[in-house]
Structures are given as structure tokens and as C-alpha cells.
């Protein structure tokens, strides 16, 4: 490639944006530099960038670099080296003021130059007063590059408390796919309905959403507790907790906000009798006793899940919790109803999901947000695929099964005087393409 007659050099540090000072290029640096003698060097601190390795091998990485525009510049080229190697141009000339250097060795320091070319020498040194060099495209969560894929995912889980807070830091503007799943609702106690799955929102199957550089809030909700044994009030399963990305409140601009799953209904002793399932991302199933009571399933949040099923209008059979892929089943006899199916979301390969313990892998697909199965005097209802907990029958004399962690599955319900299973915790997965 021909060397332009007049060019300007930017040097930056990964530690912080650097103030600019206009100095002559030192003779020692000029020999190793791609720019000719007489060019202007801006900022004298050496650039040392340590890229972050992606994937299981940890052998490759990427660096994002950005710079202020040069007035009337025709193009920019980026040059890099490690150690005392000669500088080499990375990629073609670009009119953009940012670039990503990929295929780099992990844990290796790189010197990076950005050279601006202009036809008119009068504009050769009209540069921004700051330069930034970022050690990766983004940080936050568990970062994985699936084998053989040209994208990276950031995985966020609930590690304690009602909601686990985290930060997704973007070092450049980029389009990001999302999967946001809230915590599942707890199964109802004492002949209860299955817990509703946590709300599910995803851009997979559609278009990735443009996101701006900066810090973005992440919240991952836990599942609701299962209902207790005793009164109808204490026997209702607790709702799951919301998960969100790109904000923390449901009215934040640009936020992706998934509502926690509804708790399962219950029979419970005493007045007012059987309790219906609660509303949520997906609705909880209705309780299973007392034909004169309301056994209806809870309603779902639009676009995030499905309604819970009703309990049997005879006795001793609850309704299934709703799932992201289907409504909870309504009980029609003395058998517990199944939880609604979850939704298969192809945000990562099945091997990546299994290896990082999120979602439920079935037949090579990864499912999320299955509804909890209901309890019954007869056969219990199964949990929906996608982490829904199974119900139990009265003969088993045990609590309902919990929803699976990091799936948003609803908790299962018991068929006798026992507690409901807790809902599964939610998960947030963010994905972006690596530059070619």
C-alpha cells in the first residue's frame, strides 16, 4: 500500500482517554512507526492493550479502538504490533472513526497507531483532543464464544437475593440480540396449581437492536417461593422476580423488562377456600379443591407468556402453570394438569447452554420458561419443557418440584398437605457478532 505524503498519528492508552500534546515524532520511534518523518504525533504515552480471550481456548481476542475525527480526512488506517515486531496495517483503510482488531493473542500487549490521511496538508493535524482504546468490545457476565461461531454471548444469572444486579459495558456502538427471562412463580401448596413461568422476551428470530457504547444495567430475578401449608392465603405460591436488560425499571427508555411468573393457586384450609392462580409473565395454575370456589388460572403479560390452567371443578386437582410457549393445562378429572410448554430460543448452541448451565436442552434445542405441573389426588401434572417443576400426587407425600435454575420455569405443586416448589431463577443472555 502506498504511503500518503501527509498523515497524522494517534496514540492512546487502554487505561484512560489521553490529553493531546503536539510533539515531534522521536527518532527512535520513527524507525518502527508506519508514518514518515515530519508527521505529527499526538500524545506521547505508549499504547499497551491487553485483549480478552473469547471461548474455551482463550487464544484469540479483540480490541476496539476509536478516535476523534480529523477535519476533511479522506480515510484512516490502523496499525498494530506486539513486542518489537514491525508495525503492520490491520485491515483496509476506513472512513469510520472506530475499528475492531480481532484474531489477537490473549494476554499480549499491543501497540496501536491510527493514521489519518488528508489531501490538504493544512488539515493533517486537525485531530480530536482525546483518543480511546478499549480492551474488548464489551464486558460483563460470563463471556463465551461458541465453537465455530462468529459471535460472542454474555451470560448473566441470579447469584443471590431477589435480583442480582450487573453491568454490561459496551465499548462501542453495536447491534445486540437479547434473551431476557424472569424468575418463575412458586407452585401453590396443599393441592395447588403449578407456578407460572417467568416472562420471556427475545430478539432472536428478528433483528438485533442497536445499542450505544456505555454502561447498561442488568437485573436477573430469582424464582418465587412455593406456597406453604395452612390457610388459603399462605398456600398461594409467590410470584417470581422480574429480569431486565438495558435499564432497571419497566418504563426506562430502551429497556427489555420481563415480568416474574405468577404464583400457583391453592386449596388451603378455611375461608375463602380454593384460590386462583396469580397473574404474571405467565399465569399460575388454579388451586384444586372445593368446587364452589374460583379455580381459574392467572393471566399472562402480553407478549411474554401464556395463562395458567384452571383447577378441576370436582376436587383435588390443580391447574398447570402457563409457559412461554403454551398455556397451562386445565384439569378435567382427578389428575393434575401439566404445565405449559416453554419456548425454544436459538441464542446459543445446545452445547454452550449445557456447558454453562442455563436453559433446558431437549433434542438439540434450548428451552426456557416452562410452566409448573399441578398437584392432584391422582396422577400429578408434569412440568412444561423449559425448566418447569413437576407436580406430585397425594400418595407421594412430598413437596412439588422446584423449577430449574436459569430457565425461568415455574415451580410444581403437591397433591396433598405439603409445600409447593420454588420457581426457577431467570437468566439474561446478550449476543453480538464479531467483526470480520
Amino acid at each position: 500500500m502506498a504511503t500518503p505524503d501527509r498523515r497524522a498519528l494517534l496514540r492512546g492508552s487502554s487505561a484512560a482517554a489521553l490529553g493531546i500534546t503536539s510533539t515531534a515524532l522521536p527518532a527512535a520511534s520513527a524507525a518502527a512507526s508506519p508514518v514518515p518523518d515530519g508527521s505529527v504525533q499526538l500524545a506521547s504515552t505508549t499504547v499497551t492493550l491487553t485483549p480478552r480471550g473469547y471461548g474455551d481456548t482463550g487464544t484469540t481476542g479483540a480490541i476496539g479502538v476509536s478516535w476523534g475525527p480529523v477535519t476533511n480526512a479522506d480515510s484512516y488506517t490502523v496499525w498494530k504490533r506486539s513486542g518489537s515486531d514491525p508495525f503492520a496495517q490491520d485491515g483496509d483503510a476506513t472512513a469510520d472513526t472506530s475499528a475492531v482488531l480481532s484474531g489477537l493473542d490473549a494476554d499480549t500487549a499491543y501497540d496501536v497507531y491510527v493514521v489519518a490521511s488528508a489531501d490538504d496538508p493544512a488539515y493533517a493535524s486537525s485531530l480530536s483532543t482525546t483518543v480511546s482504546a478499549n480492551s474488548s468490545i464489551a464486558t460483563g457476565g460470563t463471556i463465551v464464544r461458541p465453537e465455530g461461531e462468529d459471535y460472542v454471548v454474555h451470560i448473566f444469572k441470579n447469584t443471590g437475593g431477589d435480583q442480582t444486579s450487573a453491568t454490561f459495558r459496551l465499548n462501542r456502538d453495536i447491534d445486540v440480540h437479547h434473551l431476557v427471562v424472569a424468575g418463575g412463580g412458586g407452585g401453590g401448596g396443599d393441592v395447588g396449581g403449578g407456578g407460572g413461568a417467568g416472562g420471556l422476551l427475545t430478539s432472536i428470530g428478528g433483528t438485533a437492536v442497536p445499542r450505544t457504547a456505555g454502561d447498561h444495567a442488568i437485573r436477573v430475578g430469582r424464582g418465587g417461593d412455593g406456597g406453604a401449608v395452612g390457610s388459603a392465603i399462605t398456600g398461594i405460591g409467590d410470584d417470581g422476580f422480574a429480569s431486565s436488560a438495558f435499564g432497571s425499571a419497566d418504563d426506562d427508555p430502551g429497556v427489555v423488562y420481563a415480568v416474574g411468573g405468577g404464583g400457583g393457586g391453592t386449596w388451603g384450609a378455611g375461608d375463602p377456600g380454593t384460590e386462583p392462580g396469580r397473574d404474571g409473565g405467565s399465569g399460575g395454575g388454579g388451586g384444586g379443591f372445593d368446587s364452589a370456589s374460583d379455580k381459574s388460572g392467572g393471566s399472562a403479560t402480553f407478549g411474554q407468556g401464556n395463562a395458567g390452567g384452571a383447577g378441576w371443578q370436582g376436587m383435588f386437582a390443580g391447574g398447570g402453570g402457563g409457559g412461554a410457549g403454551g398455556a397451562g393445562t386445565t384439569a378435567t378429572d382427578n389428575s393434575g394438569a401439566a404445565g405449559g410448554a416453554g419456548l425454544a430460543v436459538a441464542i446459543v448452541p445446545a452445547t454452550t447452554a449445557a456447558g454453562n448451565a442455563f436453559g433446558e436442552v431437549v433434542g438439540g434445542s434450548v428451552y426456557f420458561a416452562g410452566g409448573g405441573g399441578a398437584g392432584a389426588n391422582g396422577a400429578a401434572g408434569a412440568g412444561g419443557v423449559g425448566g418447569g417443576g413437576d407436580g406430585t400426587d397425594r400418595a407421594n407425600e412430598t413437596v412439588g418440584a422446584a423449577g430449574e435454575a436459569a430457565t425461568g420455569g415455574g415451580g410444581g405443586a403437591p397433591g396433598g398437605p405439603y409445600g409447593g416448589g420454588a420457581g426457577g431463577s431467570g437468566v439474561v443472555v446478550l449476543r453480538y457478532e464479531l467483526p470480520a
Side-chain angles (χ1 to χ4, degrees), residues 360-424:
E360 180 182 2
V361 177
V362 177
S365 295
V366 187
Y367 289 83
F368 300 87
N377 190 48
V385 61
D390 292 337
T392 60
D393 59 46
R394 191 176 187 87
N396 281 332
E397 299 184 351
T398 186
V399 300
E404 294 184 30
T407 67
Y418 312 102

Side-chain angles (χ1 to χ4, degrees), residues 17 34 45 64 88 179 184 225 247 262 362 376 392 421:
T45 303
L179 169 65
D225 294 332
V362 177
T392 60

Side-chain angles (χ1 to χ4, degrees), residues 234-257:
T234 60
I236 300 172
D238 289 345
D239 297 342
F241 290 82
S243 294
S244 60
F246 303 101
S248 55
D250 60 0
D251 58 352
D252 285 349
V255 72
V256 183
Y257 189 94

Side-chain angles (χ1 to χ4, degrees), residues 323-345:
T329 304
T330 293
T332 56
D333 56 22
N334 202 27
S335 298
L343 194 67
V345 182

Side-chain angles (χ1 to χ4, degrees), residues 262-389:
T266 184
W267 166 50
D271 193 35
T274 300
E275 291 290 316
R278 290 179 57 82
D279 299 341
S282 282
F289 194 76
D290 189 352
S291 60
S293 300
D294 182 3
K295 299 183 177 184
S296 61
S299 298
T301 301
F302 179 77
Q304 298 193 19
N306 291 279
W312 185 38
Q313 288 301 315
M315 296 175 72
F316 298 115
T329 304
T330 293
T332 56
D333 56 22
N334 202 27
S335 298
L343 194 67
V345 182
I347 195 164
V348 295
T351 52
T352 300
N356 290 276
F358 67 95
E360 180 182 2
V361 177
V362 177
S365 295
V366 187
Y367 289 83
F368 300 87
N377 190 48
V385 61

Side-chain angles (χ1 to χ4, degrees), residues 11-436:
R11 303 185 77 183
S13 171
S14 60
L18 300 173
I20 294 303
T21 58
S22 183
T23 62
L25 186 65
S29 298
S33 170
V35 299
D37 291 340
S39 294
V40 177
Q41 176 186 333
L42 301 182
S44 58
T45 303
T46 300
V47 178
T48 56
L49 304 174
T50 302
R52 178 163 188 162
Y54 291 122
D56 297 332
T57 62
T59 58
T60 62
I63 293 174
V65 291
S66 59
W67 55 92
V70 178
T71 303
N72 285 7
D74 299 313
S75 63
Y76 305 92
T77 53
V78 180
W79 301 71
K80 71 176 189 294
R81 73 173 180 182
S82 61
S84 58
D85 293 341
F87 278 91
Q89 183 175 327
D90 188 274
D92 297 328
T94 177
D96 295 333
T97 55
S98 63
V100 175
L101 285 61
S102 58
L104 306 177
D105 294 330
D107 303 318
T108 300
Y110 286 86
D111 293 330
V112 176
Y113 292 96
V114 179
V115 177
S117 300
D119 290 335
D120 188 338
Y123 295 104
S125 61
S126 298
L127 300 176
S128 169
T129 58
T130 60
V131 60
S132 62
N134 304 311
S135 59
S136 60
I137 297 173
T139 59
T142 300
I143 306 173
V144 179
R145 180 179 180 180
E147 184 176 359
E149 301 292 346
D150 290 327
Y151 60 80
V152 168
V153 294
H154 293 240
I155 306 160
F156 300 87
K157 299 180 184 178
N158 182 282
T159 57
D162 295 342
Q163 288 181 312
T164 295
S165 299
T167 299
F168 177 60
R169 175 172 292 174
L170 278 173
N171 295 321
R172 57 170 291 185
D173 296 350
I174 197 168
D175 294 347
V176 180
H177 273 299
H178 62 261
L179 169 65
V180 179
V181 184
D190 206 353
V191 195
L200 183 154
L201 294 167
T202 186
S203 62
I204 295 296
T207 303
V209 180
R211 299 294 181 180
T212 58
D215 290 349
H216 300 277
I218 305 295
R219 305 282 189 274
V220 186
R222 72 170 177 88
D225 294 332
V229 178
S231 72
I233 302 303
T234 60
I236 300 172
D238 289 345
D239 297 342
F241 290 82
S243 294
S244 60
F246 303 101
S248 55
D250 60 0
D251 58 352
D252 285 349
V255 72
V256 183
Y257 189 94
V259 177
T266 184
W267 166 50
D271 193 35
T274 300
E275 291 290 316
R278 290 179 57 82
D279 299 341
S282 282
F289 194 76
D290 189 352
S291 60
S293 300
D294 182 3
K295 299 183 177 184
S296 61
S299 298
T301 301
F302 179 77
Q304 298 193 19
N306 291 279
W312 185 38
Q313 288 301 315
M315 296 175 72
F316 298 115
T329 304
T330 293
T332 56
D333 56 22
N334 202 27
S335 298
L343 194 67
V345 182
I347 195 164
V348 295
T351 52
T352 300
N356 290 276
F358 67 95
E360 180 182 2
V361 177
V362 177
S365 295
V366 187
Y367 289 83
F368 300 87
N377 190 48
V385 61
D390 292 337
T392 60
D393 59 46
R394 191 176 187 87
N396 281 332
E397 299 184 351
T398 186
V399 300
E404 294 184 30
T407 67
Y418 312 102
S425 56
V427 66
V428 172
V429 184
L430 304 176
R431 169 178 140 182
Y432 51 84
E433 301 296 319
L434 288 174

